[in-house]
Amino acid sequence: MLSLILCLCFKSFSQSEKAFSKGNSVISAGVGIGNIWKTFLKNAFTYPPGTYNVKTRGTYTLVYEYGFSNRISGGLALGYSDVYGKFDGYGEKFTETLTNYSLLVRSNYHFGKIPKFDPYIGAGLGYYRFKYYNNKPGIVNSKVPGSFGYSAQLGAHYYFSRHLGAYAEVGYVGGSIGQLGVTYKW
């Protein structure tokens, strides 16, 4: 059974087969490069002299897309990131967290004709939800109202086999300036 699964996953491309075509379903999981919410949290407030460190988890993205034609795909993108700040100085200590969830509908235009390489450009629209927490006395912690969200991406899938590959994107994708990850096509 395992050999059958491996054979299906790593079956090679035929010379005439394109990396993307009508009817393809693609699922991708990736991690962001550069998190704009880290910059936002770091620069949103002016703190007294001390040490303020900011760390991130994510952005993490899960994308499903379906080929409506040989050039156009559409689907959903789920995103998550968590930014954590810790201040210590001037007689006070506190931590704060900004968590971001996103759900976007997105579409891509696929312009490649090479069997293993699938370049695309696209955009998405959807919803972002933020939650802010700070343990400093007197700070009001809240869920920030959800807001309109968007993405704009230039990317490519590269398939090592007919089904399994990697992808990279640049642009504004879920709070990051780019994404790297794995992709599976069927």
Side-chain angles (χ1 to χ4, degrees):
M1 182 63 163
L2 180 60
S3 61
L4 176 63
I5 292 170
L6 289 174
C7 182
L8 290 173
C9 284
F10 291 101
K11 189 173 180 183
S12 63
F13 281 84
S14 68
Q15 289 293 74
S16 63
E17 183 180 357
K18 293 188 290 182
F20 181 83
S21 59
K22 182 178 179 178
N24 284 155
S25 285
V26 179
I27 191 160
S28 303
V31 64
I33 301 167
N35 188 321
I36 66 165
W37 306 118
K38 178 179 180 180
T39 303
F40 170 78
L41 194 62
K42 201 170 195 176
N43 296 321
F45 303 104
T46 303
Y47 296 110
T51 303
Y52 184 66
N53 293 314
V54 180
K55 297 180 182 179
T56 63
R57 284 184 291 217
T59 59
Y60 301 112
T61 305
L62 182 63
V63 178
Y64 169 78
E65 59 184 308
Y66 176 79
F68 292 108
S69 74
N70 285 332
R71 296 278 184 218
I72 304 294
S73 68
L76 293 174
L78 300 170
Y80 169 81
S81 74
D82 191 45
V83 183
Y84 173 81
K86 182 177 180 180
F87 178 80
D88 186 358
Y90 203 62
E92 65 180 331
K93 293 181 182 185
F94 65 87
T95 60
E96 59 186 346
T97 305
L98 180 64
T99 305
N100 169 29
Y101 303 92
S102 63
L103 173 62
L104 301 173
V105 175
R106 63 185 236 168
S107 183
N108 288 317
Y109 175 76
H110 301 260
F111 53 89
K113 296 182 180 183
I114 301 169
K116 292 184 178 189
F117 186 65
D118 172 28
Y120 56 88
I121 188 167
L125 299 173
Y127 181 76
Y128 279 81
R129 181 70 178 185
F130 295 93
K131 183 178 178 185
Y132 176 75
Y133 174 79
N134 187 316
N135 69 356
K136 184 177 178 181
I139 298 291
V140 176
N141 297 296
S142 66
K143 291 181 180 173
V144 179
S147 65
F148 171 75
Y150 62 89
S151 71
Q153 62 274 352
L154 173 64
H157 297 112
Y158 179 80
Y159 292 97
F160 308 114
S161 70
R162 181 173 290 190
H163 300 285
L164 191 60
Y167 84 98
E169 291 182 353
V170 294
Y172 177 73
V173 183
S176 64
I177 58 170
Q179 294 275 324
L180 294 174
V182 296
T183 191
Y184 183 81
K185 174 181 71 168
W186 68 95

